Amino acid sequence: MSPLEFTQNKAKTWIMKTYSEVITISPEIMHGTPVFSGTRVPIQTAIDYFKGGETIDDFLEGFPSVTKEQVLQLLDLLVTNLPVFAA
């Protein structure tokens, strides 16, 4: 493992621990698909909604088990740490 890969892995681990109140990844929930914590709603579903031009309110209407705070924290996570995940 290169130093860059090690740093990226450490960053991803820190991010996942920091945002565990927003994202859960468990083989027992949706076969390990990242979901909003406390739900079975995949993170990818929210991303797909937003890519399709839908609003946060549209998403929340369709998935009432997800809170607005969780969505905002997810967006913050993605925007703040995009270089880590893209690498």
Side-chain angles (χ1 to χ4, degrees):
M1 179 181 300
S2 74
L4 178 59
E5 289 172 321
F6 178 76
T7 301
Q8 289 171 336
N9 286 338
K10 280 184 67 176
K12 288 177 185 178
T13 300
W14 178 84
I15 290 164
M16 294 313 296
K17 286 181 181 177
T18 302
Y19 286 90
S20 62
E21 67 273 6
V22 178
I23 300 170
T24 297
I25 301 173
S26 169
E28 297 162 3
I29 303 171
M30 306 280 294
H31 304 286
T33 299
V35 298
F36 285 96
S37 293
T39 77
R40 296 180 66 81
V41 179
I43 298 297
Q44 187 63 50
T45 301
I47 293 169
D48 292 344
Y49 258 70
F50 304 142
K51 282 174 54 179
E54 303 290 334
T55 66
I56 292 173
D57 290 332
D58 292 333
F59 175 75
L60 294 173
E61 186 176 313
F63 300 93
S65 61
V66 179
T67 68
K68 189 169 192 172
E69 183 65 27
Q70 285 177 306
V71 173
L72 294 175
Q73 287 179 323
L74 171 68
L75 294 174
D76 181 57
L77 166 70
L78 295 174
V79 169
T80 304
N81 298 290
L82 190 59
V84 172
F85 287 105

